[in-house]
Amino acid sequence: MQSFIVQLIGVFTLKDLPEEYNRVVEFKATLEKRELKDTDQIAIIVIKDTTSYHALFLDYYDSMEEIDKELEESLDGKIYNFTTRNIIEGHLNGRK
């Protein structure tokens, strides 16, 4: 069975996050018992052709493999787009 296609909306800091994604980020932060900072980098993704959004707190991950695992387990989703993978990887590698 093929996984759902996951698309990147954007990578934002908390202070620059568009208001429409606040609830998604707050929900995920509550689940993870995470205190948010204005400088947190957050990737907002969506399952293609839905309004099912998901937040990824990029400082939590060390690799794309960890993100792939979360998307597969929690959303039955996968990033198929090479550009999306490169953007997220660039943000992960930029913190090192």
Side-chain angles (χ1 to χ4, degrees), residues 26-59:
E26 289 171 7
F27 177 74
K28 179 90 183 271
T30 300
L31 285 177
E32 294 182 359
K33 296 179 173 95
R34 178 184 183 95
E35 192 170 318
L36 298 173
K37 300 177 295 227
D38 282 347
T39 57
D40 287 342
Q41 285 195 327
I42 305 162
I44 302 294
I45 59 172
V46 64
I47 295 177
K48 186 176 181 190
D49 299 327
T50 74
T51 56
S52 182
Y53 296 97
H54 189 75
L56 300 169
F57 300 114
L58 296 182
D59 67 332

Side-chain angles (χ1 to χ4, degrees), residues 51-87:
T51 56
S52 182
Y53 296 97
H54 189 75
L56 300 169
F57 300 114
L58 296 182
D59 67 332
Y60 178 78
Y61 306 96
D62 291 320
S63 68
M64 278 303 296
E65 290 77 24
E66 291 177 356
I67 291 174
D68 289 335
K69 182 178 178 185
E70 178 177 325
L71 295 177
E72 186 176 317
E73 290 176 356
S74 63
L75 302 176
D76 194 22
K78 184 172 182 175
I79 299 172
Y80 289 97
N81 185 290
F82 183 72
T83 303
T84 294
R85 292 188 73 76
N86 281 343
I87 291 169

